[in-house]
Amino acid sequence: MTKMMIGAAQIGGIQRAETREEVVARMLALMDEAHDKGVTFLAYPEMTLTTFFPRFYVEDRAEFDHWFETEMPNAATAPLFARAKSYGMGFTFGYCELTPEGQHFNTSILVSPAGKIVQKYRKTHLPGHAEFEPERSHQHLEKRYFLAGDSGFNVVRNQGVLMGMAICNDRRWPETWRVLGLQGVQLVTIGYNTPSQNNLSSDEGLEKRLYHHELSVCAGAYQNSTYAIAVAKCGTEDGNHMIGGSIIVDADGFVIARAQGEGDELIVAQADFATCDFGKSTVFNFAAHRRVEHYTKITTQTGVEAPE
Amino acid sequence: MTKMMIGAAQIGGIQRAETREEVVARMLALMDEAHDKGVTFLAYPEMTLTTFFPRFYVEDRAEFDHWFETEMPNAATAPLFARAKSYGMGFTFGYCELTPEGQHFNTSILVSPAGKIVQKYRKTHLPGHAEFEPERSHQHLEKRYFLAGDSGFNVVRNQGVLMGMAICNDRRWPETWRVLGLQGVQLVTIGYNTPSQNNLSSDEGLEKRLYHHELSVCAGAYQNSTYAIAVAKCGTEDGNHMIGGSIIVDADGFVIARAQGEGDELIVAQADFATCDFGKSTVFNFAAHRRVEHYTKITTQTGVEAPE
């Protein structure tokens, strides 16, 4: 079976005062709609359960521990797992994870149709900054509230398909896509919360950010011959606007479904994972064409080292 | 000085019977036009001096040595070097290189306004195949006639700007861009000869190939905060059609100049290389955001290794 109906459940803004239970109810409504449309794998955004709190600064990080989940599933999300299982649907969503050791991660999980968590991913490329920076039009404190992920990018076979996860800013980094591609990935899921305004440049607003988002996802999909689902939490959260633009992209890098609005919205597409094979065996036949001896700097060097 | 008028000199088809001298005359006409428009750095395509002969099969490769240059500059190209020097113009073009040791490379050079070759690049990612393959609608024998380049991707300062070269298929590989990006590149030049039809898929014609071309160049420029000039040899060569679509792209990944036709055509744009700094110091601040410990597979693994 190489064909599958896949869906992206875009979520509109979640206000600070909303409870997990209220959010899960919205997620369930989209899951029901997805099931009605024949979807058997559904992707929700990054940090689906809460507002995007890294826009707020608190001196004592512990004050924000209430945005984190200490177990998964938990009481609030159990209905999601149960409903998906009843539908025989696989799904993925992102949340903030607080480990027993007290570590904070921006995490997503992949859940099989049997309701089992088959993979956990912790966001690698945290954007933003760790301290309050008054020159910014708004704060983006992911480096304050999270540790950089320790999981790396891993591919797992779920529902017969080689799947991998990435989160938000990861999609701008071709390394993300390539590490997944080198594991034969056929479907990359990416949840995101992307402010509509660059907080250091009044020049970079909604239109430019939507372009960069889509450019990165389409290039990553094309260059690794993989489907991708990129799904937003978007619209306005407590007065802060985030881009929509949820898309499903085929293995040729073409957008095959696109959200129209900035609220809760389901988009679906029929994927045929057999179509990944053509690119993987021709122009992007890695074994035939990659020249790793010329890529050394990619792994030996983190920052720029420019010639004189 | 961070501003510079840059140009792409697209070259229409070169027929098998055309001489180097005839081609150089066409190149000089575009150089004159570029000078009139204030251009001080001009990029010509891959394999500018000859037809794209890898579409032809010969059993004895030596029969095709006449497509290669054994020295550079040589009698045919000397006028190009002289004219550029008289204009104070830097330039780059591609040609087929036969070394004294008998090695064949798909090469490009970067020439300073003083007429000095300041860098040579040998194409890394050779597409296609080495033997005649009858199932293909046309042959693409780059792996027959060339060795994979041994130069790697290197950045050099020319006219105050950090420049790097890539050739054709290299542009589809994010590794190309990243290795240059890690050297602080501000301008990537890419010449290409891209057949309009995928020779293994009747499904992939001109429109799709133009999309993939532009997607790759724009993503590479954006993700490394660099300008790019991608310049075609295009149109019809002895009945074989190649895509046009020459573009100049800014450091934000936006097309700022685009060729309209498929013949000899100059496009120009004002570059401001200071604008590279914003991306390089924020979203693509490599030192702050890259996580090389999770990129290992990119350099330790050539082909795909998929999980069960």
Side-chain angles (χ1 to χ4, degrees):
Chain A
M1 188 204 64
T2 69
K3 293 189 182 178
M4 183 187 283
M5 194 70 82
I6 58 179
Q10 177 176 286
I11 303 284
I14 297 172
Q15 310 315 309
R16 222 172 151 154
E18 277 182 74
T19 65
R20 263 56 152 200
E21 287 74 12
E22 288 170 315
V23 175
V24 168
R26 291 163 58 181
M27 294 171 77
L28 286 170
L30 291 168
M31 187 180 277
D32 292 344
E33 184 186 343
H35 175 66
D36 287 346
K37 293 189 170 154
V39 169
T40 54
F41 183 80
L42 183 62
Y44 295 99
E46 175 192 32
M47 228 181 277
T48 314
L49 303 175
T50 63
T51 193
F52 186 74
F53 63 83
R55 68 172 70 92
F56 303 118
Y57 176 82
V58 285
E59 197 171 312
D60 178 6
R61 293 171 65 253
E63 281 179 39
F64 271 3
D65 276 358
H66 65 93
W67 297 119
F68 288 76
E69 317 299 316
T70 54
E71 51 180 359
M72 187 59 61
N74 54 26
T77 57
L80 201 64
F81 283 69
R83 187 79 56 92
K85 189 174 174 183
S86 78
Y87 288 151
M89 187 187 292
F91 66 106
T92 176
F93 72 99
Y95 63 95
C96 301
E97 177 192 11
L98 176 53
T99 72
E101 297 76 29
Q103 293 180 303
H104 300 73
F105 293 107
N106 187 339
T107 294
S108 63
I109 50 171
L110 183 59
V111 183
S112 75
K116 188 179 160 217
I117 296 174
V118 292
Q119 188 157 90
K120 180 184 280 188
Y121 168 70
R122 290 165 169 168
K123 185 173 180 178
T124 303
H125 298 100
L126 296 173
H129 47 107
E131 299 302 328
F132 189 87
E133 296 187 358
E135 72 274 22
R136 295 179 187 262
S137 61
H138 59 267
Q139 302 297 297
H140 196 111
L141 292 154
E142 288 194 56
K143 286 194 197 289
R144 181 174 190 81
Y145 298 122
F146 301 109
L147 292 173
D150 58 0
S151 63
F153 301 100
N154 297 298
V155 169
V156 66
R157 193 177 289 279
N158 178 56
Q159 299 170 263
V161 177
L162 292 168
M163 298 188 179
M165 292 177 279
I167 299 179
C168 195
N169 185 43
D170 288 326
R171 72 197 185 288
R172 305 183 197 278
W173 297 83
E175 292 90 343
T176 299
W177 297 87
R178 188 61 98 223
V179 173
L180 293 170
L182 283 163
Q183 297 167 73
V185 74
Q186 297 170 311
L187 176 61
V188 177
T189 61
I190 307 134
Y192 59 96
N193 287 246
T194 300
S196 305
Q197 187 60 50
N198 185 311
N199 64 11
L200 288 171
S201 169
S202 58
D203 235 25
E204 188 184 317
L206 182 64
E207 191 183 355
K208 199 179 268 197
R209 301 208 118 194
L210 280 167
Y211 170 70
H212 287 155
H213 150 66
E214 193 165 310
L215 177 64
S216 297
V217 174
C218 291
Y222 164 60
Q223 292 172 340
N224 294 279
S225 312
T226 179
Y227 280 83
I229 304 175
V231 54
K233 184 149 69 67
C234 56
T236 300
E237 292 191 338
D238 295 308
N240 301 277
H241 193 264
M242 298 186 295
I243 68 168
S246 298
I247 47 177
I248 301 176
V249 177
D250 72 14
D252 241 357
F254 286 86
V255 174
I256 55 174
R258 185 193 303 275
Q260 300 304 310
E262 295 180 339
D264 293 6
E265 180 178 346
L266 178 75
I267 59 172
V268 307
Q270 170 89 358
D272 181 353
F273 294 105
T275 63
C276 298
D277 296 347
F278 182 71
K280 288 182 195 292
S281 61
T282 57
V283 63
F284 296 114
N285 178 337
F286 293 164
H289 302 309
R290 294 183 78 242
R291 306 290 301 177
V292 297
E293 66 274 28
H294 296 304
Y295 306 160
T296 310
K297 287 184 202 296
I298 293 173
T299 47
T300 59
Q301 186 181 317
T302 302
V304 170
E305 293 177 20
E308 285 308 295
Chain B
M1 189 203 62
T2 70
K3 293 189 182 176
M4 183 186 284
M5 195 69 83
I6 58 178
Q10 179 176 284
I11 302 284
I14 297 172
Q15 310 315 311
R16 224 173 150 154
E18 279 182 72
T19 65
R20 263 55 153 202
E21 288 72 14
E22 288 170 317
V23 175
V24 169
R26 290 164 58 181
M27 294 172 75
L28 286 170
L30 291 168
M31 187 181 277
D32 291 344
E33 184 186 345
H35 175 66
D36 286 347
K37 292 191 169 153
V39 169
T40 54
F41 184 80
L42 182 62
Y44 294 99
E46 175 191 33
M47 227 180 279
T48 312
L49 303 174
T50 64
T51 192
F52 186 75
F53 62 83
R55 69 171 71 91
F56 304 119
Y57 175 82
V58 284
E59 197 172 311
D60 178 6
R61 293 172 64 252
E63 281 180 39
F64 271 3
D65 277 357
H66 66 92
W67 298 119
F68 289 75
E69 318 299 318
T70 54
E71 51 179 0
M72 188 59 62
N74 54 26
T77 57
L80 201 65
F81 284 70
R83 187 79 55 93
K85 189 174 172 182
S86 78
Y87 289 151
M89 187 187 291
F91 67 105
T92 175
F93 72 99
Y95 63 95
C96 301
E97 177 192 11
L98 176 54
T99 72
E101 297 75 29
Q103 294 180 302
H104 300 73
F105 294 107
N106 188 338
T107 295
S108 63
I109 50 171
L110 183 59
V111 183
S112 76
K116 188 178 161 219
I117 296 173
V118 291
Q119 188 156 89
K120 181 184 280 186
Y121 168 70
R122 291 166 168 167
K123 185 173 179 177
T124 304
H125 299 100
L126 296 173
H129 48 107
E131 299 302 329
F132 189 86
E133 297 187 357
E135 71 274 22
R136 295 179 187 261
S137 61
H138 59 268
Q139 301 297 298
H140 196 113
L141 291 154
E142 288 195 54
K143 286 195 197 288
R144 182 175 190 79
Y145 299 122
F146 302 109
L147 293 173
D150 58 0
S151 63
F153 300 100
N154 298 296
V155 169
V156 66
R157 193 177 290 278
N158 178 55
Q159 297 171 263
V161 177
L162 292 168
M163 297 189 180
M165 292 177 280
I167 300 179
C168 195
N169 185 43
D170 288 326
R171 73 198 186 286
R172 305 182 197 278
W173 298 84
E175 292 90 343
T176 299
W177 297 88
R178 187 61 96 223
V179 173
L180 293 170
L182 282 163
Q183 297 167 74
V185 74
Q186 296 170 311
L187 176 62
V188 177
T189 60
I190 307 134
Y192 59 96
N193 287 247
T194 301
S196 305
Q197 187 60 50
N198 186 311
N199 64 10
L200 288 172
S201 169
S202 59
D203 234 25
E204 188 184 317
L206 183 64
E207 191 183 357
K208 199 180 267 197
R209 300 209 119 194
L210 279 167
Y211 170 71
H212 287 155
H213 150 65
E214 191 165 312
L215 177 65
S216 296
V217 175
C218 291
Y222 165 60
Q223 292 172 340
N224 294 279
S225 312
T226 178
Y227 280 83
I229 303 176
V231 55
K233 184 149 68 67
C234 56
T236 300
E237 292 190 339
D238 295 308
N240 300 277
H241 193 263
M242 298 186 296
I243 68 167
S246 298
I247 47 178
I248 301 176
V249 177
D250 72 14
D252 241 356
F254 286 85
V255 174
I256 54 174
R258 184 193 304 276
Q260 299 303 310
E262 295 180 339
D264 293 7
E265 180 178 346
L266 178 75
I267 59 172
V268 307
Q270 170 89 358
D272 181 353
F273 294 105
T275 63
C276 299
D277 297 347
F278 182 71
K280 288 182 194 293
S281 62
T282 59
V283 63
F284 295 115
N285 178 337
F286 293 165
H289 301 310
R290 294 182 80 242
R291 306 290 301 178
V292 297
E293 66 273 28
H294 296 305
Y295 305 159
T296 309
K297 287 184 201 297
I298 293 174
T299 47
T300 59
Q301 187 181 318
T302 301
V304 170
E305 294 176 21
E308 285 307 295

